Amino acid sequence: MPKNKTHSGTKKRFRVTGSGKVMREQAGHVHKFHEKTPQKARRLSKDVMVSAADVKKVKKLLGR
């Protein structure tokens, strides 16, 4: 049987924690920081969990 390949775009955008939660980075934390308050920039720097509706799809693309 051929092996399934991990989706290249997905492996760059998501990570799975040791307990199995899928984490992602928040949008809006790349540039234009002069328009954002420091508090907003700090909040956007934290990783967040993927919504429950998308977890199954992301894990399948990651080959888990």
Side-chain angles (χ1 to χ4, degrees), residues 7-63:
H7 191 272
S8 295
T10 305
K11 71 183 175 189
K12 294 170 191 171
R13 290 173 172 85
F14 301 96
R15 65 183 177 84
V16 181
T17 64
S19 60
K21 290 188 282 193
V22 182
M23 306 296 283
R24 66 170 176 84
E25 298 221 347
Q26 294 197 74
H29 192 260
V30 178
H31 54 83
K32 294 177 92 171
F33 287 106
H34 62 278
E35 297 179 4
K36 300 177 178 108
T37 64
Q39 292 86 350
K40 186 176 181 82
R42 267 200 315 275
R43 184 178 63 74
L44 290 172
S45 72
K46 304 282 196 294
D47 287 0
V48 292
M49 283 195 302
V50 173
S51 66
D54 297 325
V55 169
K56 187 176 178 184
K57 191 183 301 182
V58 173
K59 281 191 173 180
K60 184 181 179 199
L61 289 168
L62 288 171

